Amino acid sequence: MAGLRGGELSILEGFWEKEADHTDKTNSASAQWEDIFAKLLIGGRWQAASTATAVRNPASPREVVGWVAHASAAQVEEAIAAASEAAAAWGQAPLGERIQALQTAATRLRALEGELTRLYVRENGKVWNEAARDVSRSIEVLTVVADEAASWLRPHGFGPRGTVTVYPRPRGVTAVISPWNSPLLLTMKRLAPALVAGNPVVVKPASSCPLTVMAALEVMRPLFPPGVLGLVSGPGETVGMALAQDPRVRTVAFTGSTETGRKIANASPNGIKRFLLELGGNDPALVLSDADLSAESVEALRLGVLRATGQVCTAIKRIHVHRSRYPELVDKLAQSFSQVAVGSGLDPRARMGPLQNPNQWQQVRALLERTQAGGAEVKTLGSMLEGSDPEGYWQLPSLVLGAKPEDEVVQVEQFGPLVPVLPFDALDEAIAQANHTHYGLRASVWTTSIEAARAVAQRLEAGAVFVNHHTYFQDLRLDFSGVKESGLSVSTEHAALEGYVDWVGVGLPGD
Ligand code: NAD
């Protein structure tokens, strides 16, 4: 039997360092980009909108970090028109030129990593190490996509005689609509393959956390012809929906909630287009009777639940543990959660930041109140750092004990720093409970037996299953979309390039 120990993964390094690494002192991070705040990127130039709202620091909401514009219908139209006009030339530009644009963009963004991270912490609330990792991976996406495009995005011969040639053809104007929880990474993962494949893109960031995306696009802007890189912001119901519905937009790459994904998928009465949907999740972690519950494993479980204050589509949203290990796991998790110091992401002592916006904060608090009123025990742990702004959207980490599998706190995507822990007796029962959800994003199995891990993984209804960790795939070429109502089950081994081209066959006579 192959032995597995929990948490033996380099992927965990750096997430919860004792001393946060933010010696960078760029306090003027937002001042540097002030000129573009409250603006839209249309036809290669930033232009003002008639309305804008403040983007606030969730750790200190009186602090306005920047402004987000509300695009008018005419401005969305103008952005799509500019992208449409740029489509033919960009699609025909040599692949090498498009690859070079991404590589130069990565170099320029790397030089500004500290400033981007600081801006991101201030608008999003993540602690420094989490934010820095997001920014770093967002930049890495550009280089990985550029490398992958060089080898994969090329015409190739097909068939025994190789006389059918298959060409990648750009699909045309692409809308990238992204959420607030990891906006830069989730924008770059769609933007980079779309651009290098020859498509002009219009980005629509989330209104509560758009600034780092805007700053990154400003860094990239000079590298692309006017119209190839655009951004419109504002309410999703109008601005996002206008993009999704417009027949000139050929591909809609959406990352966000299942509810919005459903609206978007039904949004195209007047055109057949491609939807790439990455949606919500309610990931289970299954802790089997033989699991290794060393400090390392418990740390990995805590990380799976609490990274980004639980606001991760692929966070552990519930833990199903064999009854024989339930008391030990609850005890160890409680000890681990107790050590979490909550505060501003810019405070080097903070291990967890605030919730990102007031809406999410209220939803999490209301869910916990209903959970308690329903009879479950909510164990609130951890501590607030001295000196934290009392107006911040704080929520200490909680374990929920005594909930039943059908309870709301087990069934919904809570998107906050809490997790229900449920005992099970038989493996079949645990698998049935794990699959009893309309979501199917990720899952994890915690065991010392690789055979058990593989067998259970194959029965779990999830786009991907992790063993003894619950984070992500290190290799950015690889991604597995959610199944069921978490996505369209479109996985990728080529940094998502598959989604942004049509393959066209050209056959000679006799083929
Ligand atoms: P959301 O669905 O509310 O919003 C996402 C984006 O869609 C925002 O830019 C928003 O303005 C826009 N939007 C809202 N309504 C729209 C409409 N009717 N038409 C077009 N656009 C519209 O999601 P959120 O609250 O920003 O993000 C959290 C959700 O995202 C969670 O459910 C989380 O699980 C999910 N998520 C999924 C993944 C993944 O890869 N599967 C990654 C991150 C987040």
Side-chain angles (χ1 to χ4, degrees):
M1 183 177 79
L4 287 178
R5 265 171 44 77
E8 283 181 336
L9 290 151
S10 59
I11 204 170
L12 302 177
E13 282 165 20
F15 261 108
W16 296 79
E17 282 102 332
K18 296 287 172 264
E19 286 300 321
D21 173 27
H22 52 96
T23 45
D24 184 290
K25 298 289 181 238
T26 46
N27 278 320
S28 57
S30 58
Q32 169 170 7
W33 285 295
E34 239 160 43
D35 283 355
I36 61 163
F37 292 162
K39 291 187 181 160
L40 311 159
L41 181 55
I42 299 176
R45 288 186 310 112
W46 290 96
Q47 63 166 256
S50 56
T51 331
T53 47
V55 177
R56 295 176 182 278
N57 179 346
S60 200
R62 277 174 204 233
E63 181 192 331
V64 174
V65 185
W67 296 85
V68 60
H70 294 206
S72 66
Q75 286 173 315
V76 178
E77 157 63 34
E78 209 187 317
I80 299 172
S84 304
E85 262 175 52
W90 183 243
Q92 285 159 26
L95 177 59
E97 211 173 279
R98 303 196 303 250
I99 288 173
Q100 187 57 52
L102 287 200
Q103 280 163 342
T104 309
T107 307
R108 292 190 184 178
L109 288 166
R110 264 300 164 219
L112 291 166
E113 224 175 315
E115 287 90 332
L116 288 165
T117 301
R118 185 164 296 269
L119 176 62
Y120 186 33
V121 171
R122 289 177 63 219
E123 69 163 336
N124 182 282
K126 282 185 194 193
V127 294
W128 185 274
N129 289 334
E130 288 172 341
R133 181 166 293 236
D134 256 23
V135 171
S136 181
R137 274 175 74 81
S138 305
I139 300 168
E140 198 188 334
V141 165
L142 292 166
T143 50
V144 168
V145 168
D147 288 350
E148 192 63 18
S151 60
W152 190 76
L153 201 63
R154 292 190 176 281
H156 55 271
F158 182 82
R161 287 174 295 147
T163 42
V164 175
T165 309
V166 184
Y167 294 88
R169 186 163 62 194
R171 292 185 44 77
V173 180
T174 302
V176 172
I177 304 178
S178 51
W180 48 258
N181 61 330
S182 291
L184 186 61
L185 182 59
L186 296 168
T187 299
M188 285 301 184
K189 282 178 86 171
R190 323 282 173 239
L191 177 64
L195 286 174
V196 83
N199 307 284
V201 178
V202 182
V203 173
K204 152 67 182 96
S207 301
S208 68
C209 194
L211 303 176
T212 320
V213 172
M214 293 168 70
L217 261 56
E218 168 56 5
V219 175
M220 296 169 70
R221 181 183 57 85
L223 301 169
F224 296 89
V228 169
L229 188 57
L231 177 140
V232 289
S233 49
E237 296 76 20
T238 50
V239 176
M241 193 45 92
L243 288 174
Q245 284 183 327
D246 194 291
R248 289 166 295 178
V249 174
R250 303 294 307 129
T251 308
V252 180
F254 169 78
T255 312
S257 63
T258 296
E259 192 187 346
T260 308
R262 197 173 284 120
K263 287 184 197 157
I264 286 181
N266 293 321
S268 193
N270 48 2
I272 309 255
K273 60 182 69 178
R274 182 176 293 172
F275 293 102
L276 303 167
L277 305 178
E278 300 292 346
L279 309 176
N282 184 9
D283 293 8
L286 264 63
V287 180
L288 308 193
S289 57
D290 69 343
D292 163 43
L293 293 183
S294 62
E296 236 184 352
S297 301
V298 174
E299 169 96 341
L301 274 164
R302 174 178 74 163
L303 172 67
V305 175
L306 295 184
R307 95 189 131 98
T309 320
Q311 302 166 116
V312 182
C313 52
T314 58
I316 297 174
K317 309 265 167 57
R318 52 210 168 101
I319 299 176
H320 300 271
V321 53
H322 191 267
R323 198 176 295 279
S324 64
R325 309 300 297 281
Y326 178 82
E328 180 190 354
L329 179 66
V330 168
D331 190 45
K332 287 182 169 173
L333 275 177
Q335 278 179 36
S336 173
F337 276 36
S338 304
Q339 288 157 20
V340 176
V342 180
S344 160
L346 292 175
D347 186 329
R349 299 168 300 166
R351 292 289 167 271
M352 195 177 93
L355 286 160
Q356 203 276 324
N357 58 69
N359 189 25
Q360 190 60 30
W361 189 45
Q362 273 150 23
Q363 280 186 35
V364 167
R365 280 150 47 112
L367 173 65
L368 282 170
E369 274 168 28
R370 288 194 300 274
T371 299
Q372 246 166 341
E377 181 192 356
V378 175
K379 249 183 187 315
T380 299
L381 302 152
S383 56
M384 276 311 303
L385 281 171
E386 223 176 279
S388 300
D389 184 337
E391 292 183 16
Y393 309 137
W394 308 115
Q395 184 63 49
L396 291 173
S398 303
L399 290 176
V400 176
L401 308 177
K404 293 182 278 307
E406 62 278 13
D407 284 355
E408 183 189 16
V409 72
V410 182
Q411 288 298 320
V412 297
E413 180 188 36
Q414 65 269 44
F415 234 57
L418 61 123
V419 71
V421 187
L422 299 101
F424 68 83
D425 293 300
L427 191 57
D428 284 350
E429 173 201 355
I431 291 171
Q433 283 175 9
N435 290 338
H436 182 65
T437 169
H438 59 273
Y439 292 112
L441 197 53
R442 300 279 180 268
S444 56
V445 188
W446 302 70
T447 171
T448 44
S449 156
I450 191 139
E451 292 85 0
R454 289 215 170 104
V456 172
Q458 290 192 33
R459 295 174 63 193
L460 290 174
E461 294 165 0
V465 181
F466 304 114
V467 180
N468 294 337
H469 78 108
H470 200 117
T471 41
Y472 46 68
F473 295 99
Q474 300 236 43
D475 188 333
L476 279 162
R477 284 172 307 176
L478 208 58
D479 207 352
F480 297 89
S481 174
V483 300
K484 293 158 82 176
E485 294 195 2
S486 287
L488 295 176
S489 322
V490 185
S491 63
T492 176
E493 292 168 20
H494 302 286
L497 285 163
E498 295 97 328
Y500 302 92
V501 287
D502 293 323
W503 289 101
V504 183
V506 177
L508 301 180
D511 287 313

